[in-house]
Amino acid sequence: MVFIYANHLVEKGFDVAVCFDCQNMLKQFPLPSFVRRMGARALVRRRPNWFVLDSRVEKLCVFGIDDTTMPDSDHVVATWVGSARPVAALSSDKGIKHYFIQGYETWGTPSEEVEETYRLGMSNIVVSDWLADLVERTTGIEPVKVKNPIDEGVFYPSGEERHDHEVALLYHPGEHKGFLDAFSALEIARRQVPDLVANVFGGPKRPEVLPEWCLYTRNASQEQLRHIYSRSSVFLCATINEGFALTCPEAMFCGCALVSTDFQGVHEYADKDCALLSPVHDPEALAANLVRLLVDSAEARRIADLGGARARKECSMRRAFASIEQEFTIR
């Protein structure tokens, strides 16, 4: 989402730099400090191969976040809980301070400390209704809400054959993403649908736990994701705690029916009428919903059509961009 907004803002005439805190990058290698720093700068300068980042967006490697490392600007944005306090401590020369809150980031930080970052005096920007409620309860101040948008020019049904027994899902090692529950659900479902194929994608190397009936795409580009979603009948999500889960509406835009856990973020673009939802940490219930759609292609298409319409309504790029422009122009 940071890159998406960076692209839009440079298109609108803003100068945008994305700063990467590189002080711990390559620390695992027994090299002199200056060599590690050179390597970190080289890595940051590379353009991502999974996203088309506008060449006008500057990528900066900084070593720590403070007044000596950060460029002067009109606005500065903390993008995760670990950067909130350093950004809040910057001088006014570094710009008006904003905090882009994409989830309740308690998977590495105690909840009390996470909530303290909401009270640092920055302009809080949240991506979902439930996060808006949480931040307002914590601070007494209504945050700016900018629901994550999906680009219909990138995510749409690609026209290739959709396979009734193929399932798309994200692999992520974070426990809050619930991949082990998703994999358990796949194994249970495959006992009833023996030709089930899982189209898995993720950033890390292929996990050893995946059997041969799980295809794996590492660092999938947007085009590769579109094809994965478009050939799959169902998108499976077993998230435990997540602010939004962007891959769900991406898949829905591409024509997948959504089978998901009933985590808080899913209600930003889906409900029980346009997706099959089951309790968190219940692989058996997740598998039952998955099988229901794998064996009934008409029902899968009905859910997919309803879900796609709901996701397109809720994840409007035009609305999100207007809100972001207002935040960085008026405040």
Side-chain angles (χ1 to χ4, degrees):
M1 290 312 310
V2 171
F3 283 173
I4 286 173
Y5 289 134
N7 274 359
H8 177 71
L9 290 171
V10 296
E11 185 65 30
K12 289 295 181 178
F14 291 78
D15 294 323
V16 180
V18 180
C19 298
F20 296 79
D21 186 357
C22 302
Q23 61 180 335
N24 293 318
M25 190 178 290
L26 305 179
K27 202 169 185 177
Q28 70 273 27
F29 295 102
L31 298 169
S33 176
F34 79 93
V35 175
R36 288 201 301 270
R37 289 190 171 217
M38 289 174 58
R41 290 191 181 98
L43 288 172
V44 166
R45 281 197 299 268
R46 292 171 58 184
R47 311 309 282 183
N49 58 13
W50 52 270
F51 183 89
V52 182
L53 183 64
D54 194 302
S55 60
R56 292 170 291 183
V57 176
E58 192 174 6
K59 296 176 72 189
L60 298 179
C61 183
V62 300
F63 297 93
I65 300 173
D66 57 43
D67 282 355
T68 67
T69 61
M70 295 290 289
D72 292 349
S73 58
D74 296 317
H75 299 269
V76 59
V77 186
T79 58
W80 72 292
V81 67
S83 64
R85 292 185 184 280
V87 168
L90 294 172
S91 70
S92 59
D93 290 340
K94 305 306 172 182
I96 299 170
K97 298 161 189 174
H98 309 261
Y99 185 14
F100 186 37
I101 302 167
Q102 300 187 74
Y104 188 37
E105 298 176 77
T106 56
W107 40 86
T109 307
S111 59
E112 296 81 4
E113 292 183 24
V114 172
E115 292 174 18
E116 284 175 7
T117 65
Y118 304 157
R119 297 190 288 265
L120 291 173
M122 296 184 282
S123 172
N124 293 321
I125 306 169
V126 299
V127 301
S128 57
D129 290 329
W130 79 270
L131 282 172
D133 292 341
L134 171 63
V135 171
E136 186 169 1
R137 287 198 309 271
T138 303
T139 65
I141 301 171
E142 183 180 1
V144 176
K145 186 173 71 177
V146 186
K147 189 171 289 192
N148 283 339
I150 304 296
D151 188 347
E152 290 192 75
V154 173
F155 295 106
Y156 56 86
S158 63
E160 63 189 274
E161 181 184 359
R162 196 175 300 277
H163 300 267
D164 290 344
H165 293 173
E166 293 198 14
V167 180
L169 69 156
L170 169 70
Y171 169 70
H172 190 290
E175 290 186 14
H176 65 289
K177 294 282 190 175
F179 179 78
L180 292 180
D181 287 342
F183 184 65
S184 294
L186 285 173
E187 291 186 307
I188 294 168
R190 204 165 189 270
R191 296 170 196 156
Q192 299 179 60
V193 186
D195 61 343
L196 183 156
V197 172
N199 294 312
V200 188
F201 59 91
K205 293 180 180 179
R206 180 187 175 100
E208 294 183 2
V209 69
L210 295 185
E212 62 180 13
W213 50 268
C214 292
L215 309 178
Y216 188 71
T217 304
R218 186 182 185 191
N219 293 327
S221 66
Q222 292 176 318
E223 182 179 8
Q224 287 175 309
L225 280 179
R226 182 172 66 247
H227 286 288
I228 289 170
Y229 296 146
S230 295
R231 66 173 290 129
S232 303
S233 173
V234 175
F235 186 77
L236 181 65
C237 176
T239 282
I240 298 162
N241 169 23
E242 199 165 355
F244 199 84
L246 200 61
T247 51
C248 291
E250 286 177 356
M252 295 164 81
F253 269 51
C254 293
C256 282
L258 178 63
V259 171
S260 175
T261 48
D262 194 9
F263 67 99
Q264 288 171 300
V266 76
H267 294 280
E268 302 303 320
Y269 43 79
D271 57 29
K272 62 181 178 60
D273 295 325
C274 63
L276 299 189
L277 306 178
S278 57
V280 169
H281 278 320
D282 190 343
E284 291 80 9
L286 195 65
N289 282 339
L290 179 59
V291 170
R292 174 181 163 187
L293 297 189
L294 293 179
V295 301
D296 188 341
S297 59
E299 177 67 359
R301 298 282 17 104
R302 185 185 75 83
I303 292 292
D305 290 344
L306 290 172
R310 168 73 185 275
R312 282 188 289 273
K313 177 183 177 182
E314 297 295 336
C315 302
S316 164
M317 186 158 276
R318 179 180 300 178
R319 186 168 59 242
F321 284 169
S323 298
I324 283 293
E325 286 178 43
Q326 183 180 40
E327 175 73 359
F328 294 124
T329 302
I330 296 175
R331 295 185 67 88

